[in-house]
Amino acid sequence: MAAPAAWSSSAPPLRACFLPLLLLLASFSAAPILAAARPSSSTPKKPAAFPAVTPLHLQALQRQRASSSIRGGGELVAAAADGSSGSGAANGTAAKKPFTAHYFAQELDHFTFTPNASMVFRQKYLLNDTFWRRPSGGNDAGAGPLFVYTGNEGDIEWFATNTGFMFDIAPKFGALLVFIEHRFYGESKPFGNDSYKSAETLGYLTSTQALADFAILIRSLKKNLSAEAAPVVVFGVSYGGMLASWFRLKYPHVTIGAVASSAPILQFDYITPWSSFYDGVSQDFKSESLNCFSVIKGTWDVLDERGSTDKGLLDLSKLFRACKTVKYAYSIRNWLWTAFSYTAMVDYPTPANFLQNLPAYPVKEMCKIIDGFPAGADILEKAFAAASLYYNYTGDQTCNKIEDGDDPHGLDGWQWQACTEMIMPMTVSNESMFPPSTFTYDERSDECFESWGVRPRPHWITTEYGGYKIDKVLKRFGSNIIFSNGMRDPWSRGGVLKNISSSIIALVTEKGAHHLDFRSSTKGDPDWVIEQRRQEVDIIQGWIDQYHQDMRETSS
């Protein structure tokens, strides 16, 4: 998930990767939308309710459209992608893709029988069968498990190449790896370029439709591979982790277990304090340096003051090395806000290129930059230098695209989801290093109606999937779910942090960041990450062993 995004000039520029969970900005400008808070300042609004930016993670990989025809009737339609099946872990840098791309004829609407319901669209999914133990002797009982990634709000190839954990453990289990793209994202757009055109088309973009997509594709795939008895374990991170856990609850007959990393399933309604995300970001920086925290906290008022005139905006554009003169001071605010928020999310203990190329422990490195300035240095120079670690650590950017987005309509699928069912309230408290802001359901509803002509169903997620008293509820009817979280990740505060039962386990690491456990193993991994992954593998092995034991008892 990404961090939440701005609704107006002084609102938090976030939107949850999970990302939540939810997304990122175009050409390194402002961030998208997840749970934007309503500000209390009187600075002028941006012309539109949603910033005209494209999530960064949707641009992280160039989308490659494969040409293939589609057959009706729900049959699988395969088309090899550029590259070939690889034998190593995916780390996002390999020259050859460790998967092949395929397309499934998916029905548009699984829950009605209207004339449009049976319309089909091409849903993309990726396969890696390098280590799969195939069925033998005409009997599918010996088939290895299917490890299925439940796709997030973006291009599935981007998620697959950043989910090395699944590739790392596939040999041990003899597993077939499957990565399914979420409807309305990447290449899986039911109405092509018109998919985001209006509520008439976007009305088919819901989490329940997405879960049904996964179930139908998995069952069809197993049948076509003569592996109907093979166990299925679903994996997901951020919003995808939420989907994985919900999939286990809704489709226990399709999957034997779920591994949900950094999944803030409790970030809804009044379950988790609304200020928790930004309190978490602020605590990450404060734990490294009180001076660092104070400098960032003091940046916003100075920025607003200097950006109140045309000359001030020109001076700020030069200071922040903008490719073009910025028109609004809040554009720079969003640019800074995004850098600090996402750096906290990906405060990994080893160098990584998940969102940007960053060094190990990037929050610590940002604070070193700020603390290294001499007394009396310009506070905005400090903030710019720190944010440059996020946007330009490699030093290859000659200027910063602070306002120019590539999406002419400012629309993407998550913005719709954040205006319909994925209502994750966010505020900024006085203790945060960001400017205080508030949230009300009524204001969110009005903004969504203005933008889309629809009003949110703010309590639908907890009605459909639960959340309140989750420990009492799932203890009685849920099983086989791992919720993993790292407490350096600000989304962790909306996650499951304590064991619910002997089979619904919370694996929490004090120094972990956003879905760190799902990244490829490296030589520099600290012992606590290695141990977390080992526990996950052991638990998954137990699920599979129990499944096979149950199958033997049933057959006998």
Side-chain angles (χ1 to χ4, degrees):
M1 273 179 32
W7 292 75
S8 77
S9 60
S10 58
L14 275 186
R15 150 179 113 139
C17 273
F18 47 346
L19 218 200
L21 331 174
L22 302 157
L23 310 176
L24 311 147
L25 49 139
S27 303
F28 316 126
S29 134
I33 289 177
L34 176 136
R38 192 67 178 171
S40 56
S41 100
S42 59
T43 49
K45 276 191 175 183
K46 200 166 185 177
F50 295 93
V53 295
T54 302
L56 176 62
H57 73 259
L58 301 185
Q59 302 180 36
L61 297 175
Q62 285 189 342
R63 295 175 181 169
Q64 300 193 6
R65 306 193 68 85
S67 58
S68 69
S69 58
I70 192 165
R71 297 196 301 272
E75 296 180 8
L76 294 168
V77 182
D82 291 343
S84 58
S85 295
S87 58
N91 60 14
T93 60
K96 290 186 178 181
K97 298 176 183 179
F99 45 71
T100 54
H102 307 261
Y103 299 85
F104 179 72
Q106 188 65 263
E107 285 197 350
L108 178 64
D109 185 355
H110 303 295
F111 303 110
T112 72
F113 292 89
T114 60
N116 286 339
S118 58
M119 168 185 165
V120 297
F121 67 95
R122 293 197 325 163
Q123 183 169 25
K124 184 175 182 178
Y125 66 100
L126 311 175
L127 293 179
N128 180 301
D129 61 356
T130 304
F131 303 103
W132 188 40
R133 187 172 61 253
R134 295 178 177 277
S136 59
N139 187 339
D140 69 352
L146 276 67
F147 287 175
V148 179
Y149 184 94
T150 51
N152 303 47
E153 67 286 19
D155 188 325
I156 192 60
E157 293 195 17
W158 185 79
F159 291 109
T161 54
N162 282 281
T163 309
F165 174 65
M166 292 176 64
F167 292 86
D168 290 345
I169 68 175
K172 172 181 174 60
F173 291 96
L176 173 66
L177 302 184
V178 186
F179 297 82
I180 307 176
E181 191 163 70
H182 195 298
R183 59 166 53 203
F184 282 85
Y185 293 103
E187 295 182 34
S188 302
K189 295 186 174 68
F191 302 94
N193 293 334
D194 292 331
S195 294
Y196 301 159
K197 187 175 181 179
S198 69
E200 294 295 325
T201 54
L202 281 166
Y204 299 101
L205 172 51
T206 67
S207 59
T208 52
Q209 294 280 10
L211 294 180
D213 288 343
F214 299 153
I216 291 172
L217 196 156
I218 290 169
R219 294 187 67 189
S220 181
L221 180 63
K222 291 177 68 175
K223 182 177 181 180
N224 278 273
L225 295 174
S226 300
E228 293 186 83
V232 174
V233 178
V234 292
F235 297 73
V237 303
S238 201
Y239 169 54
M242 298 161 77
L243 293 173
S245 64
W246 294 337
F247 190 80
R248 169 60 183 163
L249 298 178
K250 290 291 185 179
Y251 295 93
H253 54 293
V254 179
T255 180
I256 66 169
V259 186
S261 179
S262 300
I265 63 170
L266 304 180
Q267 198 79 44
F268 298 91
D269 286 14
Y270 300 94
I271 303 173
T272 299
W274 292 359
S275 66
S276 64
F277 182 91
Y278 291 111
D279 287 346
V281 174
S282 301
Q283 181 57 39
D284 284 353
F285 282 85
K286 197 172 189 177
S287 68
E288 295 296 344
S289 164
L290 181 58
N291 175 65
C292 179
F293 167 87
S294 299
V295 166
I296 296 173
K297 188 177 180 70
T299 294
W300 315 110
D301 287 342
V302 176
L303 181 62
D304 287 345
E305 180 181 354
R306 292 194 195 174
S308 61
T309 66
D310 290 341
K311 182 181 183 304
L313 289 173
L314 180 61
D315 292 341
L316 288 174
S317 300
K318 293 177 180 178
L319 173 60
F320 285 86
R321 299 180 187 176
C323 297
K324 295 181 180 179
T325 301
V326 297
K327 299 177 181 178
Y328 309 100
Y330 61 73
S331 299
I332 298 176
R333 170 186 286 205
N334 286 356
W335 188 83
L336 290 172
W337 199 312
T338 295
F340 300 140
S341 298
Y342 286 135
T343 299
M345 284 173 55
V346 296
D347 193 31
Y348 297 140
T350 55
N353 63 350
F354 173 48
L355 300 181
Q356 303 276 21
N357 283 295
L358 291 172
Y361 297 110
V363 171
K364 181 187 293 290
E365 296 303 317
M366 273 192 173
C367 285
K368 284 182 179 179
I369 292 172
I370 289 176
D371 292 345
F373 274 81
D378 183 6
I379 190 172
L380 295 188
E381 289 185 6
K382 297 178 184 179
F384 167 70
S388 294
L389 178 131
Y390 177 79
Y391 291 111
N392 197 23
Y393 179 63
T394 58
D396 57 355
Q397 299 294 319
T398 58
C399 65
N400 297 303
K401 296 181 180 179
I402 294 178
E403 279 184 339
D404 294 338
D406 293 336
D407 181 0
H409 303 294
L411 307 178
D412 63 70
W414 184 261
Q415 292 178 356
W416 166 265
Q417 290 188 261
C419 253
T420 50
E421 60 179 2
M422 303 299 292
I423 308 299
M424 307 170 82
M426 291 205 174
T427 61
V428 180
S429 67
N430 291 328
E431 290 71 35
S432 169
M433 67 183 192
F434 299 102
S437 64
T438 60
F439 172 95
T440 72
Y441 282 112
D442 287 343
E443 288 180 337
R444 168 62 69 82
S445 179
D446 290 342
E447 289 163 335
C448 291
F449 186 78
E450 179 183 351
S451 298
W452 301 100
V454 300
R455 294 193 180 277
R457 297 174 183 172
H459 310 298
W460 172 246
I461 291 296
T462 52
T463 301
E464 176 71 6
Y465 305 115
Y468 284 104
K469 298 182 179 179
I470 191 172
D471 54 337
K472 303 295 190 298
V473 175
L474 294 191
K475 183 178 181 180
R476 294 302 178 192
F477 84 89
S479 65
N480 293 8
I481 303 175
I482 298 172
F483 290 103
S484 62
N485 281 282
M487 297 309 294
R488 298 287 286 183
D489 176 17
W491 287 116
S492 65
R493 300 184 179 205
V496 176
L497 302 178
K498 294 182 179 179
N499 291 349
I500 292 177
S501 68
S502 60
S503 66
I504 301 182
I505 306 298
L507 298 180
V508 180
T509 55
E510 180 182 353
K511 297 181 179 180
H514 203 53
H515 53 72
L516 170 63
D517 53 324
F518 270 41
R519 295 190 60 75
S520 297
S521 61
T522 69
K523 293 181 179 180
D525 286 337
D527 291 341
W528 49 267
V529 177
I530 297 172
E531 174 60 18
Q532 181 184 30
R533 292 173 178 147
R534 184 197 65 76
Q535 292 182 63
E536 290 170 348
V537 168
D538 287 350
I539 293 171
I540 294 169
Q541 185 67 68
W543 294 344
I544 294 174
D545 291 346
Q546 184 64 57
Y547 170 79
H548 287 306
Q549 179 179 331
D550 292 344
M551 292 293 288
R552 287 193 296 270
E553 292 176 356
T554 300
S555 62
S556 62

